[in-house]
Amino acid sequence: MPQFKTIRQVAASGLISEHYLRGMVARGEAPGFRSGNRFLVNVEQLKEKLNEMSRTEAGETIG
């Protein structure tokens, strides 16, 4: 079962900064959903997305 956390909980874990994650949510790039006034982040999908982004950016700099 996927693990969902609030933006602050994800930021407190040290995975990504709160500011950057809020920007991802605003741009519609963060995996998760709104529940009332909170955005709940799918932590596993976020980790996969960040890994994919880092591979893409590394590939662009090398190539």
Side-chain angles (χ1 to χ4, degrees), residues 20 23-31 46 49 53:
Y20 189 80
M24 288 180 71
V25 170
R27 292 187 301 273
E29 298 173 354
L46 177 63
K49 182 165 187 71
M53 289 170 59

Side-chain angles (χ1 to χ4, degrees), residues 22-39:
R22 287 189 186 282
M24 288 180 71
V25 170
R27 292 187 301 273
E29 298 173 354
F33 63 94
R34 287 214 174 269
S35 177
N37 64 345
R38 294 177 187 255
F39 188 86

Side-chain angles (χ1 to χ4, degrees), residues 2 4 7 9 12 17 19 21 23 26-27 34 47 49 52 60:
F4 292 94
I7 293 172
Q9 289 172 330
S17 75
H19 179 77
L21 184 52
R27 292 187 301 273
R34 287 214 174 269
K47 287 178 184 178
K49 182 165 187 71
E52 179 184 316
E60 289 175 359

Side-chain angles (χ1 to χ4, degrees), residues 46-62:
L46 177 63
K47 287 178 184 178
E48 290 174 18
K49 182 165 187 71
L50 293 173
N51 283 333
E52 179 184 316
M53 289 170 59
S54 68
R55 282 192 298 270
T56 303
E57 289 177 13
E60 289 175 359
T61 5
I62 295 171

